[in-house]
Amino acid sequence: MMFWSAVAGDQERDCKAVGTDRPAPVHVAKSELAAALDALIGNVIRYTPQGVPFEVAVTRRDDGYVVLRVEDGGPGIPDPELALQRGESGQGSTGLGLDIVRRVAVEGNGTVNIGTSGTLGGASVVIVMADADPAPVEQPPQSRFGLVGRLSREPNERRRRGKPAP
């Protein structure tokens, strides 16, 4: 992000990074993840006018997934399905950048979605990948008496077995 922040500054773009200060491990090589991020931000720089803002956000969700989101204030991507097909970008490019993004998402046991940014109004590309170190799911506390102990304390069960209720 340091490189892209400098480029954004040269082009008078607001560049915001959210959640990049905390670890969010995924099952993807660092170099591959960096290539996907470079492709996404490179597309913002290449296909939006100077001065258009962009944002990169990383979120580590409780459900065992990590989300990497890149959004911009540009014109958006008119045909997201076509944009993800290599050689069919519709913008005069090979579509290699979004193909790299798609491959990284698949390698990370996830998906990639293209839509419209809710905050900036342009394109939104979201990569969802499995968390490589998900938080353990908390189990409800177990009674030390188990099923037998619970039954012996339930009044209806005591009556059926011929024992008086307390």
Side-chain angles (χ1 to χ4, degrees), residues 150-160 163-166:
R150 280 196 313 273
L151 290 177
S152 69
R153 290 188 313 272
E154 294 176 5
N156 291 338
E157 284 299 313
R158 284 187 230 152
R159 276 190 216 121
R160 273 186 251 168
K163 296 180 183 176

Side-chain angles (χ1 to χ4, degrees), residues 40 61 67-71 101 105 111-115 124-128:
L40 289 173
R61 300 187 330 201
V67 178
L68 170 62
R69 178 178 47 85
V70 177
E71 295 186 347
V101 170
T111 62
V112 60
N113 297 299
I114 299 175
S124 172
V125 180
V126 178
I127 306 171
V128 180

Side-chain angles (χ1 to χ4, degrees), residues 28-96:
V28 177
K30 191 175 185 176
S31 61
E32 294 295 315
L33 197 54
L37 187 58
D38 284 348
L40 289 173
I41 298 174
N43 282 350
V44 170
I45 301 296
R46 193 173 301 112
Y47 296 114
T48 65
Q50 286 194 21
V52 168
F54 69 94
E55 177 177 300
V56 176
V58 178
T59 307
R60 193 170 184 188
R61 300 187 330 201
D62 291 337
D63 64 356
Y65 289 93
V66 172
V67 178
L68 170 62
R69 178 178 47 85
V70 177
E71 295 186 347
D72 66 56
I77 299 174
D79 190 346
E81 290 296 320
L82 184 64
L84 284 171
Q85 296 175 17
R86 177 110 193 260
E88 303 290 332
S89 76
Q91 298 259 351
S93 74
T94 63
L96 177 61

Side-chain angles (χ1 to χ4, degrees), residues 91-139:
Q91 298 259 351
S93 74
T94 63
L96 177 61
L98 287 176
D99 187 58
I100 291 169
V101 170
R102 184 190 54 75
R103 285 187 291 125
V104 164
V106 169
E107 184 179 334
N109 298 317
T111 62
V112 60
N113 297 299
I114 299 175
T116 303
S117 169
T119 55
L120 298 175
S124 172
V125 180
V126 178
I127 306 171
V128 180
M129 296 170 284
D131 193 322
D133 187 23
V137 178
E138 288 192 33
Q139 299 294 325

